[in-house]
Amino acid sequence: MRLRDRPVLRDIVLVGGGHSHVGVLRRFGMHPVPGVRLTLIGRDTHTPYSGMLPGYIAGHYDYDEVHIDLSRLAQFAGARFLRDEAVGLDLDARSVRCRDRPPVRYDRLSINIGSTPQMDNVAGALEHAVPVKPISGFDARWRSLLDRVRDHAGGTRIAVVGGGAGGVEMALAMHYRLRGELRGLGRNPDDLRLHVLTKGAEVLPTHNARVRRAFERVLAERGIDLRRGAEVVEVSAAGLRTANGETLEVDEVIWVTNAGGAPWLRETGLALDADGFIQVTDTLQTVTDPYVFAAGDVASMLNYPLEKAGVFAVRQGPKLAENLRRAAEGRKLKAYHPQSRWLALISTGDQFAVASRGAVSLRGAWVWRWKDWIDRRFMSRFSDLPAMEGDEPVAPTTVRLEGEEAAQALSTIAMRCGGCGAKTGASVLSRALGALRPVERDDVLIGLHAPDDAAVVRVPRGKAMVHTVDFFRAFVDDPYLFGKIAANHALGDIFAMGAEAQSATAIVTVPPGLEAKVEDVLHQMMSGAVEVLNEADCALVGGHTGEGVELALGFAINGLVDEDGASIMRKGSMRPGDTLILTKPIGTGTLFAAHARWQARGRWIDAALVSMCQSNRLAARCLREHAATACTDLTGFGLLGHLVEMTRPSGVHAELNLSALPVLEGAEQTSAAGLLSSLQPANVRLRRALRNQQEAANHPRYPLIFDPQTAGGLLASVPAARAGACLDTLRALGYQHAAAIGRVLDLGNELAPIVLLPA
Ligand SMILES: Cc1cc2nc3c(=O)[nH]c(=O)nc-3n(C[C@H](O)[C@H](O)[C@H](O)COP(=O)(O)OP(=O)(O)OC[C@H]3O[C@@H](n4cnc5c(N)ncnc54)[C@H](O)[C@@H]3O)c2cc1C
């Protein structure tokens, strides 16, 4: 039994993948607590490491060197990664409200979401300034700024507002990088003018005088205009104005001033300090609710007024991990005492840095190399994840439960040993499913709105009914997303037939556990599924839920087509000369095989999930309107398997252009690395259908024609004369990867029906 398959007794939910939570995830990955499920709710899949951000801006590091891949780290930690943004809390119900999904319940919660710029008190700042914080979104803002500077004819004037370590370091890094960019474009680097404005009398006010002088000197040497006592009170498209009436014309304003807590925290009921940060005790528990913890910038320690620096967020990680574990085990928590002095290594943009600690100051290229070594070593802890061989030994849970929960846990564990297959309790079901709102349709006579032993639906006059069923186990840890994908996958058959969906019944297996946990998983999963079914105007009319070893979901779906069958799209009616069109990219099988082994980048998985959630409904309509002669949806047999399913009954052959195949980002790399779905070997047997397999086998996309798809796109044959217009419409409908991937050939003399291009 794998640890993550054990009954869940406690849910620890981490909101935000900040510097503290990455440490928590790593620690739980290395030392899991049986019975504890970790969930990370994160707005961004790749979170930046603040220490290397200036080096990234200066161009010394690439994106992946300075970002921690939360999706991969969560996978390592055995944690669920819910890519979403927390927007509220319900402390009584112990749940986190999210932007795009049902609330997520917790037993213990920890918040590490960094800080938010406070710009709304300066006129025009929100519209015209580029905030550095939150640092998680800065990359996109920085890239568009880079483009603007590159495209800007003549000189560019940039103002950096904020003279703390962050502001000065950022100004120097930008200066270094942008001058290099201008030089690279054959332009004069002196076309760039940089200004640093600070409200106070000094830059880097929290550092010693020698450090301050060093940075003043560097700024002067670089020709960066430093303005002290310059509090910016207004920003406009033309520039900015300070409190003493001075105006400055600039093209860009970068905002690096002190930040505050996220606005949504104000509605949570948690006690906040004057800047909106969450007040916490030495154990990192909020003063309001001992079940809620906070760390990093967002936490304001009652007994230690700390500077907002990543170094503290990092240091809090181990103590937070220990306290979350202790809280689950019902043990006494430990106090975190921050050091009174800390080492800051502040770079000057040109691979030179200044060390600052208390009254000490050192500087040189060697300080940069030292900083670089420390930073890279830190990052390697999250990129070079230690191999955790095999399944963990079955250890008794150390989670402390009392009363009803303890009794339920005992019976859950007993049930596991006694076997599965029991029906899930009626009260759990009614609570989990009661809040769902499936669409109501006139042709559904008896459905979930008035449940009975079975649903009753009418086949409208002039229509015929299309039936299909699909069922598969959860391959992602996010039950809401899994529900969406499972429903989308099941609907694929209906749309591929040229039908519209009418009604669905669900079949669910859910691992046994505490009632509240089972209810939550069911609710999350079915909410996702119902959202997708509703969008397709498909009424969920009933279902059956039982216990099983794994979470799994399937649907029997009924669709409707015109009785005369004119709109039906069959597999077996391809015509020679037709163009083969594929509406979505392939590669989901290999990407998720790689994900399971921590070998896929988070953004590849994000893109694959988006593709899996995209409905085939509009694509099917478009194909029908462009007189598709045949159509199928891509699922487990892979592209080649499904193509052969079409060519054989059509009595045709086909040519497939490997270079034209739309492929998900990362899929070529993962398949080349041999990270393949367990279904791939069965699909590879079909290579006998290939005429020139040996010549094509070295093509990087060759393995992907065998890759099994989940909720894949539609593969259709369209008359060649209509193919161009069909593709234009598909792309306008949002299928931006839709492509012509080959053509249908006459049935030749060759035995093997498929020829691959390039040969
Ligand atoms: C230019 C610059 C340079 C800096 N250099 C240094 C340095 O060298 N050393 C140093 O110690 N400090 C440095 N700092 C300060 C440092 O950036 C912050 O103190 C640090 O990032 C705070 O870390 P954190 O863990 O609290 O949050 P963050 O690192 O900001 O992480 C927050 C995470 O939470 C996620 N998130 C945010 N809101 C939500 C939400 N509502 N729901 C879900 N997820 C959410 C984000 O996506 C992100 O992953 C620098 C700051 C700047 C601006």
Side-chain angles (χ1 to χ4, degrees), residues 15-20 41-44 46-48 50-54 70 84-87 112-115 132-136 165-167 169-170 256 264 295-298 308-313 342 345 371:
V15 172
H19 294 62
S20 315
I41 302 174
R43 191 181 53 200
D44 303 284
H46 297 265
T47 198
S50 59
M52 291 172 95
L53 203 60
L70 294 175
D84 210 323
E85 182 176 4
V87 292
N112 176 210
I113 57 171
S115 31
V132 171
K133 291 193 176 184
I135 58 167
S136 49
E169 208 178 2
M170 186 57 89
V256 206
W264 63 267
D297 274 12
V298 78
K308 298 298 177 196
V311 63
F312 293 113
W342 52 284
L345 300 173
K371 172 176 164 55

Short mmCIF file of all heavy atoms in Angstrom, two decimals, residues 15-20 41-44 46-48 50-54 70 84-87 112-115 132-136 165-167 169-170 256 264 295-298 308-313 342 345 371, ligand 1:
data_model
loop_
_atom_site.label_atom_id
_atom_site.label_comp_id
_atom_site.label_asym_id
_atom_site.label_seq_id
_atom_site.Cartn_x
_atom_site.Cartn_y
_atom_site.Cartn_z
N VAL A 15 -1.52 27.35 1.42
CA VAL A 15 -1.94 28.34 0.42
C VAL A 15 -0.72 29.16 0.02
O VAL A 15 -0.13 29.85 0.86
CB VAL A 15 -3.06 29.24 0.97
CG1 VAL A 15 -3.34 30.39 0.00
CG2 VAL A 15 -4.32 28.44 1.20
N GLY A 16 -0.35 29.09 -1.27
CA GLY A 16 0.80 29.85 -1.77
C GLY A 16 2.07 29.02 -1.73
O GLY A 16 2.37 28.38 -0.72
N GLY A 17 2.77 29.04 -2.84
CA GLY A 17 4.02 28.26 -2.91
C GLY A 17 5.21 29.16 -2.66
O GLY A 17 6.13 29.23 -3.45
N GLY A 18 5.19 29.87 -1.54
CA GLY A 18 6.29 30.78 -1.20
C GLY A 18 7.50 30.04 -0.66
O GLY A 18 7.55 28.80 -0.64
N HIS A 19 8.48 30.84 -0.22
CA HIS A 19 9.76 30.28 0.21
C HIS A 19 9.65 29.35 1.42
O HIS A 19 10.48 28.47 1.60
CB HIS A 19 10.73 31.42 0.54
CG HIS A 19 11.12 32.25 -0.65
ND1 HIS A 19 10.21 32.98 -1.38
CD2 HIS A 19 12.31 32.46 -1.23
CE1 HIS A 19 10.84 33.61 -2.36
NE2 HIS A 19 12.13 33.31 -2.29
N SER A 20 8.65 29.55 2.28
CA SER A 20 8.48 28.66 3.44
C SER A 20 7.83 27.35 3.01
O SER A 20 8.24 26.27 3.44
CB SER A 20 7.60 29.32 4.51
OG SER A 20 7.95 30.64 4.73
N ILE A 41 -2.35 24.91 -2.61
CA ILE A 41 -3.14 25.75 -3.52
C ILE A 41 -2.20 26.85 -3.99
O ILE A 41 -1.73 27.66 -3.18
CB ILE A 41 -4.36 26.38 -2.82
CG1 ILE A 41 -5.26 25.28 -2.23
CG2 ILE A 41 -5.14 27.28 -3.78
CD1 ILE A 41 -6.42 25.81 -1.40
N GLY A 42 -1.88 26.87 -5.26
CA GLY A 42 -0.89 27.83 -5.75
C GLY A 42 -1.38 28.54 -7.00
O GLY A 42 -1.94 27.91 -7.89
N ARG A 43 -1.17 29.83 -7.02
CA ARG A 43 -1.60 30.61 -8.19
C ARG A 43 -0.65 30.37 -9.37
O ARG A 43 -1.07 30.38 -10.51
CB ARG A 43 -1.58 32.09 -7.80
CG ARG A 43 -2.23 33.01 -8.78
CD ARG A 43 -2.12 34.43 -8.31
NE ARG A 43 -0.74 34.77 -8.00
CZ ARG A 43 -0.37 35.79 -7.23
NH1 ARG A 43 -1.29 36.55 -6.68
NH2 ARG A 43 0.89 36.05 -7.01
N ASP A 44 0.61 30.16 -9.07
CA ASP A 44 1.61 29.99 -10.14
C ASP A 44 2.27 28.63 -10.00
O ASP A 44 2.55 28.18 -8.89
CB ASP A 44 2.68 31.07 -10.02
CG ASP A 44 2.07 32.45 -10.06
OD1 ASP A 44 1.69 32.89 -11.15
OD2 ASP A 44 1.92 33.08 -8.99
N HIS A 46 5.25 27.89 -11.35
CA HIS A 46 6.69 28.11 -11.16
C HIS A 46 6.85 29.33 -10.28
O HIS A 46 6.43 30.43 -10.65
CB HIS A 46 7.38 28.31 -12.51
CG HIS A 46 7.28 27.11 -13.40
ND1 HIS A 46 8.27 26.16 -13.48
CD2 HIS A 46 6.30 26.68 -14.22
CE1 HIS A 46 7.90 25.20 -14.32
NE2 HIS A 46 6.70 25.51 -14.79
N THR A 47 7.45 29.16 -9.11
CA THR A 47 7.56 30.27 -8.17
C THR A 47 9.01 30.76 -8.14
O THR A 47 9.94 29.96 -8.09
CB THR A 47 7.06 29.83 -6.77
OG1 THR A 47 6.77 30.98 -6.00
CG2 THR A 47 8.04 28.97 -6.03
N PRO A 48 9.22 32.09 -8.21
CA PRO A 48 10.60 32.58 -8.28
C PRO A 48 11.29 32.55 -6.93
O PRO A 48 10.67 32.73 -5.89
CB PRO A 48 10.44 34.02 -8.76
CG PRO A 48 9.07 34.42 -8.40
CD PRO A 48 8.23 33.18 -8.31
N SER A 50 13.60 34.61 -4.70
CA SER A 50 13.87 36.04 -4.70
C SER A 50 15.36 36.35 -4.80
O SER A 50 15.77 37.31 -5.45
CB SER A 50 13.28 36.69 -3.45
OG SER A 50 13.83 36.10 -2.30
N GLY A 51 16.20 35.53 -4.17
CA GLY A 51 17.63 35.80 -4.15
C GLY A 51 18.24 35.86 -5.54
O GLY A 51 19.25 36.54 -5.76
N MET A 52 17.65 35.13 -6.50
CA MET A 52 18.24 35.08 -7.84
C MET A 52 17.50 35.96 -8.84
O MET A 52 17.88 36.03 -10.01
CB MET A 52 18.26 33.63 -8.34
CG MET A 52 19.24 32.77 -7.57
SD MET A 52 19.07 31.04 -8.01
CE MET A 52 20.32 30.84 -9.26
N LEU A 53 16.45 36.62 -8.36
CA LEU A 53 15.64 37.43 -9.28
C LEU A 53 16.45 38.54 -9.94
O LEU A 53 16.40 38.71 -11.17
CB LEU A 53 14.43 38.00 -8.52
CG LEU A 53 13.24 38.37 -9.38
CD1 LEU A 53 12.70 37.19 -10.15
CD2 LEU A 53 12.15 38.97 -8.50
N PRO A 54 17.24 39.31 -9.17
CA PRO A 54 18.04 40.35 -9.83
C PRO A 54 19.01 39.76 -10.86
O PRO A 54 19.22 40.34 -11.92
CB PRO A 54 18.77 41.03 -8.67
CG PRO A 54 17.89 40.79 -7.49
CD PRO A 54 17.33 39.41 -7.70
N LEU A 70 6.61 24.02 -8.74
CA LEU A 70 5.75 23.56 -7.64
C LEU A 70 5.00 22.28 -7.99
O LEU A 70 4.73 21.45 -7.11
CB LEU A 70 4.74 24.66 -7.27
CG LEU A 70 5.34 25.93 -6.69
CD1 LEU A 70 4.26 26.98 -6.47
CD2 LEU A 70 6.05 25.64 -5.37
N ASP A 84 -4.65 27.24 -8.40
CA ASP A 84 -5.77 28.17 -8.25
C ASP A 84 -5.33 29.28 -7.31
O ASP A 84 -4.26 29.20 -6.70
CB ASP A 84 -6.98 27.42 -7.65
CG ASP A 84 -8.30 28.02 -8.11
OD1 ASP A 84 -8.37 29.25 -8.24
OD2 ASP A 84 -9.25 27.26 -8.34
N GLU A 85 -6.17 30.28 -7.19
CA GLU A 85 -5.84 31.40 -6.32
C GLU A 85 -6.83 31.45 -5.16
O GLU A 85 -8.04 31.44 -5.38
CB GLU A 85 -5.93 32.70 -7.13
CG GLU A 85 -5.56 33.91 -6.32
CD GLU A 85 -5.56 35.18 -7.16
OE1 GLU A 85 -5.92 35.11 -8.35
OE2 GLU A 85 -5.22 36.23 -6.60
N ALA A 86 -6.30 31.48 -3.94
CA ALA A 86 -7.19 31.62 -2.79
C ALA A 86 -7.73 33.05 -2.78
O ALA A 86 -6.97 34.00 -3.00
CB ALA A 86 -6.41 31.34 -1.51
N VAL A 87 -9.03 33.18 -2.53
CA VAL A 87 -9.61 34.54 -2.50
C VAL A 87 -10.37 34.80 -1.21
O VAL A 87 -10.93 35.88 -1.03
CB VAL A 87 -10.53 34.79 -3.72
CG1 VAL A 87 -9.74 34.84 -5.01
CG2 VAL A 87 -11.62 33.73 -3.82
N ASN A 112 1.26 31.30 2.91
CA ASN A 112 2.60 31.82 2.57
C ASN A 112 2.50 32.42 1.16
O ASN A 112 2.97 31.86 0.19
CB ASN A 112 3.60 30.65 2.63
CG ASN A 112 5.01 31.01 2.22
OD1 ASN A 112 5.75 30.19 1.71
ND2 ASN A 112 5.43 32.24 2.44
N ILE A 113 1.80 33.57 1.09
CA ILE A 113 1.46 34.13 -0.23
C ILE A 113 2.24 35.40 -0.55
O ILE A 113 1.93 36.09 -1.51
CB ILE A 113 -0.05 34.42 -0.33
CG1 ILE A 113 -0.49 35.37 0.79
CG2 ILE A 113 -0.86 33.14 -0.32
CD1 ILE A 113 -1.92 35.87 0.63
N GLY A 114 3.25 35.74 0.25
CA GLY A 114 4.07 36.91 -0.06
C GLY A 114 3.33 38.20 0.18
O GLY A 114 2.36 38.25 0.93
N SER A 115 3.81 39.27 -0.47
CA SER A 115 3.18 40.56 -0.27
C SER A 115 2.65 41.13 -1.58
O SER A 115 3.02 40.67 -2.66
CB SER A 115 4.12 41.54 0.41
OG SER A 115 5.45 41.28 0.05
N VAL A 132 6.99 45.36 -8.97
CA VAL A 132 7.88 44.19 -8.90
C VAL A 132 7.20 43.10 -8.07
O VAL A 132 7.31 41.92 -8.37
CB VAL A 132 9.23 44.58 -8.29
CG1 VAL A 132 10.08 43.35 -8.01
CG2 VAL A 132 9.96 45.50 -9.25
N LYS A 133 6.46 43.52 -7.04
CA LYS A 133 5.76 42.53 -6.23
C LYS A 133 4.31 42.44 -6.69
O LYS A 133 3.76 43.45 -7.10
CB LYS A 133 5.82 42.93 -4.76
CG LYS A 133 7.22 42.79 -4.22
CD LYS A 133 7.23 42.89 -2.72
CE LYS A 133 8.66 42.65 -2.20
NZ LYS A 133 8.73 42.62 -0.77
N PRO A 134 3.64 41.32 -6.64
CA PRO A 134 4.23 40.07 -6.18
C PRO A 134 5.28 39.58 -7.17
O PRO A 134 5.06 39.64 -8.37
CB PRO A 134 3.04 39.12 -6.12
CG PRO A 134 2.04 39.69 -7.07
CD PRO A 134 2.24 41.16 -7.06
N ILE A 135 6.40 39.09 -6.61
CA ILE A 135 7.49 38.70 -7.49
C ILE A 135 7.07 37.52 -8.38
O ILE A 135 7.67 37.30 -9.43
CB ILE A 135 8.78 38.36 -6.71
CG1 ILE A 135 8.55 37.24 -5.71
CG2 ILE A 135 9.35 39.58 -6.04
CD1 ILE A 135 9.86 36.68 -5.16
N SER A 136 6.01 36.79 -7.96
CA SER A 136 5.59 35.63 -8.74
C SER A 136 5.10 36.03 -10.13
O SER A 136 5.21 35.26 -11.06
CB SER A 136 4.52 34.85 -8.01
OG SER A 136 3.52 35.72 -7.57
N ALA A 165 16.85 47.77 -0.55
CA ALA A 165 17.77 46.85 -1.21
C ALA A 165 17.15 46.33 -2.51
O ALA A 165 17.82 46.26 -3.55
CB ALA A 165 18.10 45.70 -0.28
N GLY A 166 15.83 46.00 -2.46
CA GLY A 166 15.15 45.48 -3.65
C GLY A 166 15.18 46.47 -4.79
O GLY A 166 15.51 46.11 -5.93
N GLY A 167 14.85 47.72 -4.50
CA GLY A 167 14.77 48.74 -5.55
C GLY A 167 16.12 49.01 -6.18
O GLY A 167 16.26 49.06 -7.41
N GLU A 169 18.87 47.13 -6.09
CA GLU A 169 19.39 45.93 -6.77
C GLU A 169 18.70 45.77 -8.13
O GLU A 169 19.33 45.45 -9.15
CB GLU A 169 19.12 44.71 -5.88
CG GLU A 169 20.13 43.62 -6.08
CD GLU A 169 19.88 42.42 -5.16
OE1 GLU A 169 18.90 42.44 -4.39
OE2 GLU A 169 20.67 41.48 -5.23
N MET A 170 17.40 46.03 -8.13
CA MET A 170 16.62 45.91 -9.37
C MET A 170 17.08 46.95 -10.39
O MET A 170 17.25 46.65 -11.57
CB MET A 170 15.15 46.11 -9.01
CG MET A 170 14.19 45.89 -10.14
SD MET A 170 14.37 44.25 -10.83
CE MET A 170 13.27 43.35 -9.85
N VAL A 256 8.92 49.49 -6.58
CA VAL A 256 9.56 48.54 -5.65
C VAL A 256 9.49 49.10 -4.23
O VAL A 256 10.45 49.01 -3.48
CB VAL A 256 11.03 48.26 -6.03
CG1 VAL A 256 11.46 46.86 -5.53
CG2 VAL A 256 11.29 48.35 -7.52
N TRP A 264 -7.68 40.51 0.11
CA TRP A 264 -8.71 39.55 0.53
C TRP A 264 -8.54 39.10 1.97
O TRP A 264 -9.50 38.64 2.60
CB TRP A 264 -8.78 38.35 -0.43
CG TRP A 264 -7.56 37.47 -0.52
CD1 TRP A 264 -6.55 37.58 -1.40
CD2 TRP A 264 -7.23 36.34 0.30
NE1 TRP A 264 -5.61 36.60 -1.20
CE2 TRP A 264 -6.00 35.82 -0.17
CE3 TRP A 264 -7.84 35.69 1.38
CZ2 TRP A 264 -5.38 34.70 0.41
CZ3 TRP A 264 -7.23 34.58 1.95
CH2 TRP A 264 -6.02 34.11 1.47
N ALA A 295 3.41 32.27 7.26
CA ALA A 295 4.87 32.43 7.24
C ALA A 295 5.28 33.28 6.06
O ALA A 295 4.51 33.50 5.13
CB ALA A 295 5.54 31.05 7.17
N GLY A 296 6.53 33.74 6.10
CA GLY A 296 7.06 34.57 5.02
C GLY A 296 6.58 36.01 5.15
O GLY A 296 6.17 36.46 6.22
N ASP A 297 6.63 36.73 4.03
CA ASP A 297 6.25 38.15 4.04
C ASP A 297 4.86 38.39 4.63
O ASP A 297 4.62 39.41 5.28
CB ASP A 297 6.24 38.69 2.60
CG ASP A 297 7.61 39.16 2.14
OD1 ASP A 297 8.60 38.87 2.84
OD2 ASP A 297 7.68 39.81 1.07
N VAL A 298 3.94 37.45 4.37
CA VAL A 298 2.55 37.70 4.76
C VAL A 298 2.36 37.62 6.28
O VAL A 298 1.35 38.08 6.82
CB VAL A 298 1.59 36.72 4.03
CG1 VAL A 298 1.60 35.34 4.67
CG2 VAL A 298 0.18 37.27 3.98
N LYS A 308 10.82 42.44 5.52
CA LYS A 308 10.22 41.51 4.55
C LYS A 308 11.31 41.01 3.62
O LYS A 308 11.67 41.66 2.63
CB LYS A 308 9.11 42.21 3.75
CG LYS A 308 7.96 42.71 4.59
CD LYS A 308 7.24 41.58 5.31
CE LYS A 308 6.13 42.09 6.22
NZ LYS A 308 5.68 41.09 7.18
N ALA A 309 11.90 39.88 3.99
CA ALA A 309 13.00 39.34 3.20
C ALA A 309 12.82 37.83 3.06
O ALA A 309 12.39 37.15 3.99
CB ALA A 309 14.33 39.64 3.88
N GLY A 310 13.18 37.35 1.86
CA GLY A 310 13.02 35.93 1.59
C GLY A 310 13.80 35.06 2.57
O GLY A 310 13.41 33.94 2.87
N VAL A 311 14.88 35.61 3.11
CA VAL A 311 15.71 34.82 4.03
C VAL A 311 14.89 34.36 5.24
O VAL A 311 15.03 33.23 5.71
CB VAL A 311 16.97 35.62 4.43
CG1 VAL A 311 16.66 36.88 5.17
CG2 VAL A 311 17.93 34.78 5.22
N PHE A 312 13.98 35.22 5.72
CA PHE A 312 13.16 34.80 6.88
C PHE A 312 12.12 33.76 6.46
O PHE A 312 11.84 32.82 7.19
CB PHE A 312 12.49 36.01 7.52
CG PHE A 312 13.48 36.94 8.16
CD1 PHE A 312 13.69 38.22 7.67
CD2 PHE A 312 14.23 36.52 9.25
CE1 PHE A 312 14.64 39.06 8.24
CE2 PHE A 312 15.18 37.35 9.84
CZ PHE A 312 15.38 38.63 9.32
N ALA A 313 11.56 33.97 5.26
CA ALA A 313 10.58 33.00 4.78
C ALA A 313 11.23 31.62 4.67
O ALA A 313 10.64 30.60 5.07
CB ALA A 313 10.03 33.45 3.43
N TRP A 342 21.32 39.22 10.10
CA TRP A 342 21.34 38.26 9.00
C TRP A 342 22.19 38.78 7.87
O TRP A 342 22.39 39.98 7.71
CB TRP A 342 19.93 37.94 8.55
CG TRP A 342 19.08 39.13 8.22
CD1 TRP A 342 18.48 39.97 9.11
CD2 TRP A 342 18.75 39.64 6.94
NE1 TRP A 342 17.80 40.96 8.46
CE2 TRP A 342 17.94 40.78 7.11
CE3 TRP A 342 19.05 39.24 5.63
CZ2 TRP A 342 17.44 41.51 6.05
CZ3 TRP A 342 18.54 39.96 4.57
CH2 TRP A 342 17.74 41.09 4.80
N LEU A 345 23.36 39.43 0.78
CA LEU A 345 24.33 39.53 -0.33
C LEU A 345 23.61 40.25 -1.46
O LEU A 345 22.69 39.69 -2.06
CB LEU A 345 24.80 38.14 -0.75
CG LEU A 345 25.48 37.33 0.36
CD1 LEU A 345 25.75 35.89 -0.08
CD2 LEU A 345 26.79 37.99 0.80
N LYS A 371 27.67 34.26 -3.42
CA LYS A 371 26.20 34.35 -3.45
C LYS A 371 25.63 33.36 -4.48
O LYS A 371 24.67 32.63 -4.22
CB LYS A 371 25.80 35.79 -3.80
CG LYS A 371 24.31 36.00 -4.06
CD LYS A 371 24.03 37.48 -4.30
CE LYS A 371 22.66 37.71 -4.92
NZ LYS A 371 21.55 37.12 -4.19
C1 LIG B 1 13.91 42.84 -6.56
C2 LIG B 1 13.83 42.11 -5.26
C3 LIG B 1 14.92 41.42 -4.81
C4 LIG B 1 14.87 40.75 -3.61
N1 LIG B 1 15.99 40.09 -3.19
C5 LIG B 1 15.98 39.48 -2.01
C6 LIG B 1 17.14 38.80 -1.54
O1 LIG B 1 18.17 38.77 -2.20
N2 LIG B 1 17.07 38.18 -0.35
C7 LIG B 1 15.95 38.18 0.39
O2 LIG B 1 15.94 37.61 1.47
N3 LIG B 1 14.83 38.80 -0.01
C8 LIG B 1 14.80 39.46 -1.19
N4 LIG B 1 13.67 40.11 -1.61
C9 LIG B 1 12.44 40.03 -0.80
C10 LIG B 1 11.71 38.76 -1.17
O3 LIG B 1 11.32 38.81 -2.51
C11 LIG B 1 10.46 38.49 -0.35
O4 LIG B 1 10.71 38.76 0.98
C12 LIG B 1 10.09 37.02 -0.50
O5 LIG B 1 9.76 36.76 -1.85
C13 LIG B 1 8.93 36.66 0.37
O6 LIG B 1 8.73 35.30 0.23
P1 LIG B 1 7.36 34.62 0.56
O7 LIG B 1 7.66 33.20 0.71
O8 LIG B 1 6.72 35.30 1.70
O9 LIG B 1 6.43 34.90 -0.70
P2 LIG B 1 6.66 34.81 -2.25
O10 LIG B 1 8.04 34.42 -2.59
O11 LIG B 1 6.16 36.09 -2.81
O12 LIG B 1 5.72 33.63 -2.71
C14 LIG B 1 4.34 33.72 -2.67
C15 LIG B 1 3.72 32.56 -3.41
O13 LIG B 1 2.33 32.54 -3.14
C16 LIG B 1 1.58 32.47 -4.34
N5 LIG B 1 0.34 33.20 -4.10
C17 LIG B 1 0.20 34.51 -3.87
N6 LIG B 1 -1.09 34.80 -3.63
C18 LIG B 1 -1.76 33.64 -3.70
C19 LIG B 1 -3.12 33.27 -3.52
N7 LIG B 1 -4.04 34.18 -3.22
N8 LIG B 1 -3.46 31.99 -3.68
C20 LIG B 1 -2.54 31.06 -3.98
N9 LIG B 1 -1.25 31.35 -4.17
C21 LIG B 1 -0.86 32.61 -4.01
C22 LIG B 1 2.47 33.07 -5.40
O14 LIG B 1 2.15 32.56 -6.66
C23 LIG B 1 3.86 32.63 -4.92
O15 LIG B 1 4.15 31.34 -5.41
C24 LIG B 1 13.69 40.77 -2.82
C25 LIG B 1 12.58 41.47 -3.30
C26 LIG B 1 12.64 42.13 -4.50
C27 LIG B 1 11.44 42.87 -4.97
#
